[in-house]
Amino acid sequence: MDLEPTLLSGVSDQRPFVIAGPCSAETEEQVLTTAQQLAAKGVCVFRAGIWKPRTKPGGFEGVGVEGLEWLQKVKREIGMYTATEVATKDHIVKALEYGIDIIWIGARTATNPFAVQEIADALRDRDFKGAVLIKNPVNPDLELWLGAIERIYNSGIRRIGAIHRGFTSYERQLYRNIPQWSIPIELKRRIPNLPLIADPSHIGGKRELVAPLAQQAMDLNYDGLIIEAHYQPDSAWSDKNQQITPDTLAHILSALVIRNTNQTTENLTELRRQIDDIDNEILDSLSKRMRISKEIGQYKKEHEMPVYQTRRYGEILEKRIKQSQILGMSADFMKVVFEAIHEESIRKQMEVLNEDKPYF
Ligand code: PEP
Ligand code: MN
């Protein structure tokens, strides 16, 4: 792709390129106070959601056009660049009218080619000089993400970046959205000149995860960070658990270790991140397996079946050992792993069987 080298000349060539601001614009006071505090910490680009996609109806859906006036003030009076999310042609028309510098396509919108095409068509011939950032779709589909990027590129936009905000999972887990770092890494491999920005706020969903996730993104050589910051995070109208104060943001940014890309340790760091990612997947799978074991325990209890069934266990073990050898792992290793898993499963089922016997 023949992209412009920077998203915002003079600003985005520093690493990390930082965009910060509240999840949503709530009131004029909240927008201006947060922006002033961020500007005082050296942040140049202010984000705020004006139209908020909510999973269920009835929640706070954004203040709408009124909020764009506040963003215009941030630009005029505080001198920051402004960024907001757009999902429809009307949003584009309004955002451009109020001088928004960076627009981003949210994760839900990025899943829908019709919606992305509508945005691309609205941008065509509008001579938008700012940048368009495309968040990863909520589902882990690299092709869909690439397709959204291509639609925007085909509409003539040359300042394009990608935001990695993690992927939805049905399973309970540490992160609000699992990072699956290998997907954005593959995106960067396919389009090496595409700026990649991490969104640790939406990946983690918790304040305490912002710093470690931001550091991981820097270790993986990401270009920028988009972080939710609010002058009073505890009273935020949306995503309050993940918003941090401008002060905390400044501490996190100053503590980031920015490693030189050319160091040989970079490859090692990348491999370690992949290991961390896989370990998280193993933990999620194990906890799911244990929950199913408990359900089996319940069934066995109701049908008066014994918990331990030698034949079934022998079959499982034999099958897994064969599979592991095909996959290049030793039979001894697999035996240890599956025996441990089986032992814990049995223990869980025994718990179910005896839950009404306090002295067991
Ligand atoms: C947001 O950035 O506030 C937002 C709604 O994010 P996402 O599209 O990643 O859920
Ligand atoms: Mn948010």
Side-chain angles (χ1 to χ4, degrees):
M1 276 186 186
D2 183 19
L3 299 172
E4 288 278 338
T6 52
L7 292 171
L8 280 178
S9 8
V11 181
S12 64
D13 21 24
Q14 318 152 20
R15 185 165 165 264
F17 166 55
V18 176
I19 303 175
C23 176
S24 309
E26 299 164 4
T27 63
E28 181 169 344
E29 192 208 351
Q30 170 248 11
V31 165
L32 291 175
T33 313
T34 307
Q36 260 148 8
Q37 292 182 3
L38 286 168
K41 299 290 179 189
V43 176
C44 302
V45 190
F46 184 76
R47 65 148 281 159
I50 296 293
W51 301 282
K52 300 301 297 176
R54 312 310 298 178
T55 304
K56 296 205 171 138
F60 170 59
E61 296 191 325
V63 291
V65 176
E66 192 187 4
L68 288 173
E69 285 171 20
W70 309 333
L71 289 186
Q72 204 169 35
K73 278 199 175 165
V74 168
K75 199 173 156 107
R76 285 202 192 126
E77 294 172 17
I78 305 176
M80 294 175 92
Y81 292 97
T82 52
T84 200
E85 173 174 346
V86 292
T88 65
K89 176 173 187 265
D90 289 350
H91 293 167
I92 303 267
V93 172
K94 288 293 174 202
L96 269 50
E97 191 182 316
Y98 284 87
I100 296 290
D101 302 287
I102 296 183
I103 53 179
W104 79 80
I105 298 179
R108 291 157 195 78
T109 310
T111 57
N112 180 349
F114 288 132
V116 176
Q117 192 58 51
E118 180 185 317
I119 293 170
D121 292 343
L123 285 169
R124 195 186 294 274
D125 307 326
R126 271 210 162 74
D127 197 28
F128 177 53
K129 292 270 181 286
V132 180
L133 307 178
I134 298 122
K135 284 200 167 193
N136 65 259
V138 283
N139 50 327
D141 185 339
L142 176 62
E143 296 305 322
L144 196 56
W145 196 2
L146 278 163
I149 293 166
E150 280 168 29
R151 283 175 201 277
I152 299 302
Y153 182 79
N154 292 345
S155 74
I157 300 288
R158 291 295 175 266
R159 292 188 195 272
I160 301 181
I163 301 178
H164 170 218
R165 52 76 83 193
F167 302 90
T168 303
S169 158
Y170 180 60
E171 293 304 315
R172 249 181 317 174
Q173 30 145 9
L174 170 64
Y175 302 112
R176 177 176 176 190
N177 293 296
I178 1 167
Q180 297 197 268
W181 298 98
S182 56
I183 297 177
I185 288 170
E186 176 60 15
L187 175 72
K188 188 82 180 166
R189 200 185 63 76
R190 301 245 202 126
I191 317 177
N193 55 347
L194 179 77
L196 185 57
I197 296 171
D199 179 345
S201 312
H202 289 93
I203 295 176
K206 297 180 198 75
R207 276 171 213 162
E208 58 276 24
L209 290 177
V210 173
L213 285 164
Q215 183 62 56
Q216 285 186 44
M218 288 302 105
D219 291 346
L220 289 171
N221 205 20
Y222 279 45
D223 303 281
L225 297 167
I226 180 164
I227 296 181
E228 286 189 341
H230 190 299
Y231 81 126
Q232 286 172 339
D234 286 328
S235 47
W237 297 1
S238 59
D239 287 354
K240 70 174 183 182
N241 295 335
Q242 67 197 36
Q243 302 210 54
I244 55 177
T245 61
D247 211 31
T248 306
L249 176 75
H251 280 114
I252 291 177
L253 293 177
S254 66
L256 280 180
V257 180
I258 309 295
R259 294 186 173 87
N260 174 357
T261 351
N262 301 322
Q263 279 172 1
T264 47
T265 51
E266 201 70 18
N267 287 344
L268 183 62
T269 312
E270 196 164 306
L271 292 171
R272 284 183 176 148
R273 292 300 165 221
Q274 288 185 30
I275 291 272
D276 285 348
D277 218 16
I278 292 171
D279 284 349
N280 282 326
E281 284 170 20
I282 293 175
L283 282 179
D284 282 343
S285 298
L286 278 177
S287 88
K288 186 173 176 192
R289 194 186 191 285
M290 291 310 158
R291 282 202 301 281
I292 295 175
S293 279
K294 267 185 120 163
E295 278 181 42
I296 293 181
Q298 192 62 37
Y299 181 92
K300 287 179 178 165
K301 183 180 180 180
E302 280 160 21
H303 294 81
E304 301 200 332
M305 285 166 76
V307 160
Y308 185 58
Q309 292 178 337
T310 334
R311 224 186 67 212
R312 161 98 179 124
Y313 177 53
E315 280 166 14
I316 294 186
L317 197 58
E318 205 182 313
K319 200 165 135 195
R320 297 291 176 248
I321 286 176
K322 272 197 193 130
Q323 283 176 321
S324 69
Q325 283 169 319
I326 296 170
L327 294 170
M329 289 175 289
S330 79
D332 286 347
F333 167 63
M334 221 15 72
K335 201 158 175 274
V336 172
V337 170
F338 270 93
E339 274 173 359
I341 293 175
H342 187 246
E343 201 176 303
E344 178 65 4
S345 271
I346 296 279
R347 201 186 60 75
K348 287 259 179 224
Q349 296 189 20
M350 295 292 278
E351 251 175 34
V352 175
L353 230 60
N354 297 293
E355 64 197 351
D356 42 1
K357 300 188 189 108
Y359 302 114
F360 179 77

